[in-house]
Each structure stands twice: as C-alpha cells, then as structure tokens.
Amino acid sequence: MKSIMDMDYEDLKREITENLGWERYRADQIADWIYNKHVLDFSKMTNLSKEYRKILSENYYTDLLELVDKQISKIDRTTKYLWKLRDGNTIESVLIFYPNRVSACISTQVGCPVGCKFCATGMSGFVRNLSTGEIVSQILHMEMEARLRIGNVVFMGMGEPFLNYENVIKSIKIINHQKMIGIGIRHITVSTVGIPDKIVSFAKDGMNARLALSLHAAYNHKRDFLVPINIKYPIEEIIQAAKEYQKITNNRVSIEYIMIKELNDYDSDAEKLVEVLKGLKVFVNLIPVNPVVKDFQRPSRRRIEAFKKILESHGIEVEVRTEKGTDIDAACGQLRIRNKQLKRAFK
Ligand code: SAH
Ligand code: SF4
C-alpha cells in the first residue's frame, strides 16, 4: 500500500501514467477529489470507473490522520486539533481566525530535538520526523473538519522544520500547487530556530516562501542558554544566512523574539538586537513568553513598550504579538502541554 498524500503533483502524474498506465488527466481528477472536493475515499470518486476505483482502494491510502480531540477557544475561536498518526503517535495543529483570513499552524515533527528552555514541545523530547503526507494532511483535515478554506499556513507547530528539510520542502510544493491545496506561496511561512545551510537552501528550494527566525536573544551567551543549538550555530552565522536568503528572495524576514522578564528584556538587549539586525530587512514580533516554565515570567507591559521603542527609534518595524487561544493552550509553545492527559483519556 502506498500513501497518495506523500506525492507531489509530479509524483502523482508519474504514478498514474507510468505505474498504473492510465491517462494523464486521471491524476488531475484524483487531485481534484482529494484537495478540492475533500473526498478521500476512492470508492466515492465517481468520475473514475469502478475498476479504477477498486485498483486505487487496493493499492493506495489517503487517511494519515485520525482526529482524537478538538478544543475551541471561547475567547477567539482558535481551534486546536489533536491527531493520531497511523503508528499511534500524536501531533497537534491549530486554526487561527483573523478578520479576513484563516491561518493554519502546523507541526513538522513528533516532539522536537532542539530542546528550547521555554518550549513545551522541546521539553517533551523527540520521537520522529513527520512524512510529507502527514504535514500536508493537517491542512486538508482542518479544512474538512472546520468546513472552510485555509488562506495562510505557518510552520510554527511542534518541531523544527529545517531538521526535516526534504519533507517540508515537498509539503510546501503540495500546499502551493494550483491543482493541489493551492495556497499562494506568499502566504506560507516557515519558522526556524536557525540552521544556516538550510536557510540558504530554502531560499533556492522554497519557491519564495517566507522565513521567520526564532531569535529570542541578541547575545550569544543568552541564546546558548535559551536555544541550545545556538552553541553549534551562533547568531552571526544565522544572520549571515538570513542575509543570503534575503538576497535571493528579496523577502523581508520575520524575527521572533520571546520576551522573558529579567532575562532578555533589558534596554541593552534591545540595543544589541538593533546591532545584530543591521543590514537585514526585518519585521520583529515581540512575544511575551507563555508561562510554560515557572521561572520564566512575562515582562511588564511598560518594559515591553520600552523595548519596542528602542527598536522603533532605529527604524525597525515591530509588533507585540497578541495571543490566541491561551485558554486552550494553543498559543505558541504550549502545544503538547495537555497531550499526556489526553493520551490517557483517549486510550
Ligand atoms: N521550531 C520552530 C518552529 C516551531 S516553534 C521555531 O522554533 O521557530 C514555534 C514558535 O513558538 C517559535 O517562534 C517559538 O519561539 C514559539 N514558542 C515556543 N515556546 C514559547 C513560549 N513558551 N512562549 C511563547 N512562544 C513560544
Ligand atoms: Fe523546537 Fe521550536 Fe520548541 Fe525550540 S521553540 S524546542 S526549535 S519547537
């Protein structure tokens, strides 16, 4: 049995014409059923002959995710989905509602090997990479569950996308392709902790998708502590790679900066950040830390504003990110918090 969901458009065409020996347009029909009509059951693909449907059912599958739980925020409708994969592992994805669009936040790994000190996913350890199909299916299944079309995708769920590079690039192709999910490339953002060689490859392979950099500190000694992979890839190398990304794509880079009281929220941190970002066109998102760890507190509103002003005074565009879905632990870094309880409940 093969998974159709792991095939990009070229793969699907090849499978249909070369492996099955059918007409090329059959690939378009199948893609239309799955990605446009949201029909995953081959037996219901009625413009294919009964014989074709039988062959498909016997040799391929489309169901990579099973819904285990769904939580809807009473505050802002943010919806968190918990999915079970075919091997029993679970992952989460989130739908976020904005006035004029719906955004999907998707996972790329079961757990995460990076182990950032403030992140619930990072603290839960690493199990495995997601397949291309498992990444793409999160979007498809949320569209099916919520009965809507997603207009924006951020790779900001569980896992580090650039440690699962090949599958992430392939999933972007499927998410973007007109005959598949069909979301515009400018509406796809990959968030990374910063793997320099992958950032540069992404500029070439990512078809102009956007990049968000999880920086969180401008001093290496602080970042070494918060984001342990910084010891291997220090700030200067990441920023250099981001500059190369920018040279190739001409895209502005988002800088994610989680603010933690009395750790990285001083004026001197803001000034150092200005220095570090020199020569890079950026948009900075300041994110008051979600209290995953007790030791990490949010700075006061006044402190955040003062920090923001310093960046602005140097002409940097900056926004304090408003939180979504805090009542259901769907906000950044809170994915997986209640997973253990859920797993027990759904056994
Ligand atoms: N691994 C990638 C993408 C997933 S993490 C990355 O780190 O960029 C998604 C986002 O959640 C990142 O910007 C991360 O910094 C943020 N995040 C993690 N824990 C958080 C917390 N406790 N409070 C606020 N944001 C958090
Ligand atoms: Fe992994 Fe991102 Fe969490 Fe760090 S913040 S542990 S890179 S998911």
Side-chain angles (χ1 to χ4, degrees), residues 109 111-123 156-161 191-193 214 216 226-229 258 333:
Q109 299 181 311
C112 180
V114 178
C116 299
K117 293 279 193 309
F118 46 78
C119 173
T121 304
M123 287 184 296
M156 280 193 194
M158 296 159 56
E160 167 48 44
S191 174
T192 179
V193 79
S214 293
H216 312 317
L226 288 173
V227 183
I229 204 171
I258 294 180

Side-chain angles (χ1 to χ4, degrees), residues 48-66:
L48 301 172
S49 71
K50 284 224 166 93
E51 192 202 331
Y52 276 17
R53 285 185 248 166
K54 188 162 173 276
I55 291 170
L56 288 171
S57 306
E58 283 170 357
N59 295 287
Y60 303 91
Y61 58 93
T62 51
D63 50 332
L64 305 193
L65 304 182
E66 187 190 320

Side-chain angles (χ1 to χ4, degrees), residues 164-231:
N164 186 11
Y165 187 78
E166 304 295 326
N167 292 347
V168 164
I169 293 294
K170 199 166 177 189
S171 72
I172 292 174
K173 286 188 183 150
I174 300 173
I175 293 166
N176 176 239
H177 199 286
Q178 283 282 350
K179 292 193 168 156
M180 296 183 131
I181 294 188
I183 295 173
I185 201 73
R186 310 199 67 75
H187 298 281
I188 301 172
T189 302
V190 174
S191 174
T192 179
V193 79
I195 318 283
D197 63 318
K198 293 297 187 296
I199 292 176
V200 178
S201 309
F202 181 61
K204 297 166 188 152
D205 305 335
M207 301 165 295
N208 228 3
R210 293 178 179 273
L211 181 74
L213 211 56
S214 293
L215 206 57
H216 312 317
Y219 288 105
N220 276 316
H221 69 277
K222 294 192 185 190
R223 198 167 191 269
D224 286 349
F225 168 70
L226 288 173
V227 183
I229 204 171
N230 193 67
I231 296 166

